[in-house]
Amino acid sequence: MKQAKEIEDAEKFNFMATVTKAPKKQIQFADDMQEFTKFPTKSGRRSLSRSISQSSTDSYSSDSSDDEEGTPREKHQTNSKGSSNFCVKNIKQAEFGRREIEIAEQDMSALISLRKRAQGEKPLAGAKIVGCTHITAQTAVLIETLCALGAQCRWSACNIYSTQNEVAAALAEAGVAVFSWKGESEDDFWWCIDRCVNMDGWQPNMILDDGGDLTHWVYKKYPNVFKKIRGIVEESVTGVHRLYQLSKAGKLCVPAMNVNDSVTKQKFDNLYCCRESILDGLKRTTDVMFGGKQVVVCGYGEVGKGCCAALKALGAIVYITEIDPICALQACMDGFRVVKLNEVIRQMDVVITCTGNKNVVTREHLDRMKNSCIVCNMGHSNTEIDVTSLRTPELTWERVRSQVDHIIWPDGKRVVLLAEGRLLNLSCSTVPTFVLSITATTQALALIELYNAPEGRYKQDVYLLPKKMDEYVASLHLPSFDAHLTELTDDQAKYMGLNKNGPFKPNYYRY
């Protein structure tokens, strides 16, 4: 028995010795082999970056055809009807994009219901709508709804990274003049907007904007066209701010609808959409675990509130920066510490901006961040993080995934920048379809209202959506939850001084 045990021990020793002497294996790439080191040399970093990702504009949902060299502007494409009045990445993806749109329609029942109710009347007949929004499956449902209601549409993207190429192809195949693809350059971005506006024999009379870039372009480049616009519908904080600036300067010569501050946009899209999509965007790009991570969220508006609620639920330690004492007090009452960014920047694992402002995170902040700090933006504009200051000779940019860059300092410190400081959720992931149905329905009704309003109802100013319309949008979505509203009795309505059919709250009410 003793001899058998000695043999067994010897075999174990021989096995361990063999394992110990086994040569170390290196990670092999397509063209060569490299070992990961803690801080690779500059040449090593560059070749590693190239081997991992050849393109800064890869799409999660695209196929290999998206990797073709050259801009779509250089290609001549036609749809099955022979039309070439569009510019997309690859028209051959149309069938795939159509399936994406059909899937989105299943969770946008309220917008589809509006389409069915109103398409007989064609309330947008004669409307020529030029749009600049994110081009996703959900937006496609909105665009096709507008077309079903009688409008002619020409569309471009408000973000160079958010377009779903296959969806753009499906819209082009259906006859919509769409000019957009994922990964546009800045020059491409403005070229696409201009192609939407500048077409012989076609002049827009309505604008649907997200961020104000389209409105700004028409105002600056085509002032005569701008004066003939019947109405502008804007859905973002940034775009609304620009409209109010025009109005204050006396330069807004058309009525505009501020959809961003409508209850159905602010309290649902801004809050609930961001509460879910912030995690989706961060997980897809970084695989980060949030438990115990220290996160600072710059801004505690509706977007900030949604982000903080999600992060806190996963165990992150969340700090808030704010300029508004009311929002700051709300953050304190919700259990968050309100700080100045300079006070905590060295300890943060994740920095998220959602203010709508500029230079919220500066080069000074970026220099003081610790190694592997993740930096991203949940606001519409790409001005919140000073990305331009990072494009200097002493810093190395390494693309490690689609929309994920490591910015490497001379001492080897890395900061993880997502989507080059652009909107994280729509650049790096997707957003919940149902909540976008609420926003899209609001936008459609705002366009119908402005287009059909009798002369004199709306002057050259910025307006909020009528309360009755907000309530109607909400009521269209309640059947999805099998929700049943309580009805006021005549006596109750008289006591409260309300119409039994609404509106149920005054315009100054804060939900």
Side-chain angles (χ1 to χ4, degrees):
M1 182 72 72
K2 182 178 180 182
Q3 186 177 9
K5 189 176 186 308
E6 288 174 353
I7 292 172
E8 184 181 348
D9 290 342
E11 288 175 347
K12 285 182 180 179
F13 175 79
N14 289 335
F15 172 75
M16 291 302 295
T18 303
V19 171
T20 317
K21 291 176 183 177
K24 292 181 180 178
K25 290 191 176 180
Q26 297 177 341
I27 298 174
Q28 188 162 353
F29 294 88
D31 299 324
D32 59 348
M33 293 197 305
Q34 296 185 26
E35 278 190 313
F36 284 110
T37 56
K38 188 174 183 182
F39 300 128
T41 63
K42 287 188 177 181
S43 60
R45 282 196 294 264
R46 291 194 186 101
S47 58
L48 178 60
S49 175
R50 286 196 299 269
S51 63
I52 291 178
S53 175
Q54 294 292 334
S55 168
S56 63
T57 57
D58 295 338
S59 171
Y60 286 105
S61 57
S62 61
D63 59 20
S64 58
S65 61
D66 276 3
D67 297 327
E68 297 171 3
E69 293 184 3
T71 172
R73 290 165 62 174
E74 299 170 353
K75 296 191 295 185
H76 179 74
Q77 302 180 79
T78 57
N79 61 19
S80 62
K81 302 175 185 67
S83 172
S84 59
N85 188 20
F86 62 88
C87 188
V88 299
K89 189 74 172 181
N90 189 347
I91 191 64
K92 295 177 182 177
Q93 292 183 317
E95 185 179 349
F96 178 33
R98 178 52 53 189
R99 292 200 300 270
E100 293 270 352
I101 296 169
E102 289 170 353
I103 291 170
E105 287 177 346
Q106 303 306 309
D107 213 16
M108 301 181 78
S109 55
L111 186 58
I112 298 299
S113 173
L114 176 66
R115 181 193 298 183
K116 291 177 179 177
R117 291 184 189 187
Q119 66 181 356
E121 303 170 10
K122 301 290 184 188
L124 291 175
K128 295 180 178 179
I129 303 172
V130 61
C132 183
T133 65
H134 302 284
I135 297 183
T136 62
Q138 296 83 8
T139 309
V141 179
L142 169 62
I143 295 170
E144 294 189 338
T145 297
L146 299 177
C147 292
L149 301 186
Q152 296 177 32
C153 296
R154 296 177 67 83
W155 229 263
S156 63
C158 66
N159 184 303
I160 64 174
Y161 292 132
S162 64
T163 297
Q164 290 178 267
N165 288 328
E166 64 279 6
V167 170
L171 286 170
E173 175 61 31
V176 177
V178 56
F179 299 84
S180 176
W181 58 93
K182 188 181 180 76
E184 297 167 0
S185 66
E186 288 291 331
D187 181 62
D188 292 333
F189 175 79
W190 294 111
W191 178 86
C192 288
I193 288 178
D194 193 70
R195 282 298 305 272
C196 285
V197 179
N198 185 16
M199 180 189 174
D200 292 338
W202 195 92
Q203 184 171 302
N205 53 25
M206 297 292 291
I207 291 176
L208 177 56
D209 209 354
D210 185 353
D213 288 325
L214 171 59
T215 302
H216 176 77
W217 186 262
V218 178
Y219 171 75
K220 288 288 187 181
K221 298 289 184 180
Y222 303 99
N224 291 331
V225 173
F226 190 75
K227 291 174 184 176
K228 295 177 182 178
I229 296 292
R230 293 175 63 169
I232 300 169
V233 174
E234 171 59 57
E235 71 155 309
S236 75
V237 173
T238 305
V240 165
H241 178 66
R242 295 167 84 172
L243 283 174
Y244 280 122
Q245 285 180 323
L246 279 177
S247 179
K248 188 176 181 180
K251 297 178 179 179
L252 185 64
C253 54
V254 297
M257 195 73 80
N258 171 5
V259 166
N260 179 74
D261 291 315
S262 66
V263 178
T264 43
K265 168 66 166 62
Q266 192 175 78
K267 294 294 180 179
F268 295 92
D269 193 337
N270 293 14
L271 177 64
Y272 298 119
C273 177
C274 294
R275 189 174 71 180
E276 299 197 17
S277 61
I278 178 64
L279 300 180
D280 189 13
L282 284 167
K283 289 284 190 182
R284 289 200 201 195
T285 50
T286 65
D287 303 314
V288 64
M289 182 174 180
F290 291 101
K293 289 289 190 299
Q294 298 199 70
V295 182
V296 60
V297 177
C298 302
Y300 201 65
E302 298 303 328
V303 173
K305 288 180 175 70
C307 293
C308 291
L311 293 161
K312 183 179 181 181
L314 289 190
I317 302 164
V318 182
Y319 300 83
I320 308 295
T321 71
E322 251 302 339
I323 61 169
D324 186 329
I326 296 174
C327 292
L329 183 58
Q330 286 180 316
C332 292
M333 298 294 285
D334 287 337
F336 301 110
R337 275 197 62 196
V338 178
V339 297
K340 291 183 177 180
L341 189 56
N342 284 331
E343 297 171 352
V344 297
I345 194 65
R346 289 187 185 276
Q347 292 78 44
M348 293 301 103
D349 298 297
V350 185
V351 178
I352 302 169
T353 59
C354 43
T355 68
N357 210 331
K358 62 181 288 189
N359 295 334
V360 178
V361 175
T362 65
R363 176 61 188 268
E364 181 185 355
H365 294 128
L366 292 156
D367 284 337
R368 294 175 60 201
M369 289 176 185
K370 68 181 185 180
N371 188 48
S372 298
C373 180
I374 299 168
V375 186
C376 64
N377 169 45
M378 280 291 286
H380 175 84
S381 179
N382 62 337
T383 58
E384 302 204 32
I385 302 165
D386 187 8
V387 176
T388 304
S389 70
L390 297 176
R391 300 189 185 278
T392 54
E394 74 272 14
L395 301 182
T396 302
W397 284 61
E398 180 180 288
R399 175 55 57 94
V400 295
R401 285 183 179 177
S402 180
Q403 317 305 343
V404 183
D405 290 295
H406 284 188
I407 317 300
I408 307 170
W409 268 250
D411 64 355
K413 181 190 85 170
R414 294 170 179 246
V415 167
V416 183
L417 178 65
L418 305 183
E420 297 185 18
R422 296 179 184 272
L423 181 59
L424 171 71
N425 55 3
L426 279 156
S427 296
C428 301
S429 60
T430 57
V431 292
T433 298
F434 180 81
V435 79
L436 289 189
S437 173
I438 301 174
T439 300
T441 306
T442 305
Q443 289 171 307
L445 288 173
L447 286 166
I448 293 170
E449 171 66 16
L450 280 177
Y451 184 69
N452 291 282
E455 189 174 349
R457 177 182 291 179
Y458 297 106
K459 296 180 173 54
Q460 299 168 351
D461 206 348
V462 185
Y463 293 86
L464 287 172
L465 204 68
K467 182 73 66 177
K468 182 68 177 173
M469 203 173 294
D470 261 329
E471 293 179 352
Y472 178 63
V473 172
S475 68
L476 287 175
H477 289 82
L478 289 177
S480 297
F481 301 97
D482 193 25
H484 304 276
L485 288 172
T486 300
E487 295 181 10
L488 291 172
T489 65
D490 292 338
D491 187 47
Q492 288 173 324
K494 183 179 179 180
Y495 177 77
M496 295 294 293
L498 297 174
N499 185 310
K500 288 179 67 174
N501 298 315
F504 299 99
K505 300 289 190 296
N507 287 328
Y508 57 79
Y509 182 80
R510 307 288 184 183
Y511 286 84

